[in-house]
Amino acid sequence: QVHLVESGGGLVQPGGSLTLSCAASVSISRIGVASWYRQPPGKQRELVANTWNNGNTHSQAFVKGRFLISRNNAKNTIDLQMNNLKPEDTAIYYCWVYSSGQYWGQGTQVTVSS
C-alpha cells in the first residue's frame, strides 16, 4: 500500500510558476514509474508527464518546455515544476505511481487566471 499526498497547488496569474509535490509513504526508489495527470474542468483526466526509476522522463507535447517532472530524493517527493502557466493549464493535478500496484493521490487544484 502506497499513500500519496499532493501539495503546491493554488491560484496563479498567466505566465506564473508553481511547483507541485507528491509525497509518498514509501521510498521513491521503490517506485518504478510515477506520473502527474490532470483533469481540466468538464474534461477527462489526461497524462502530463512520467518519470521512471532509471532516470528517464517524458512530458506530453502540450507542456513540453514549460513543465519538468523530477524525483527529489532528499524530500522523497515526485515534483512537477510548472512555468509559463496558461489558463488552459487550470485543472486538478493528480499524482500516480506504480509500486507493486497502482496508486493515486487525492489531487491538488491549480487555477491560472488574471
Side-chain angles (χ1 to χ4, degrees):
Q1 187 78 12
V2 179
H3 186 55
L4 304 171
V5 178
E6 299 101 331
S7 62
L11 173 64
V12 63
Q13 293 187 342
S17 299
L18 282 175
T19 298
L20 306 182
S21 290
C22 172
S25 61
V26 299
S27 171
I28 60 173
S29 64
R30 295 174 53 188
I31 294 174
V33 55
S35 305
W36 281 96
Y37 283 78
R38 70 184 186 185
Q39 187 164 15
K43 297 184 180 180
Q44 291 190 338
R45 195 172 297 190
E46 60 186 5
L47 174 66
V48 175
N50 298 318
T51 173
W52 286 267
N53 61 6
N54 64 1
N56 289 343
T57 63
H58 168 76
S59 299
Q60 295 290 75
F62 56 80
V63 299
K64 196 157 290 187
R66 299 190 299 124
F67 292 11
L68 179 66
I69 189 170
S70 62
R71 295 178 181 232
N72 188 320
N73 293 317
K75 292 168 37 181
N76 202 51
T77 58
I78 309 296
D79 296 339
L80 185 68
Q81 173 69 42
M82 305 186 295
N83 299 315
N84 191 21
L85 283 159
K86 304 176 181 180
E88 53 263 42
D89 295 318
T90 294
I92 301 174
Y93 283 72
Y94 297 91
C95 181
W96 174 94
V97 304
Y98 184 84
S99 179
S100 300
Q102 52 182 328
Y103 303 92
W104 289 94
Q106 83 290 349
T108 185
Q109 176 71 48
V110 172
T111 302
V112 185
S113 175
S114 55

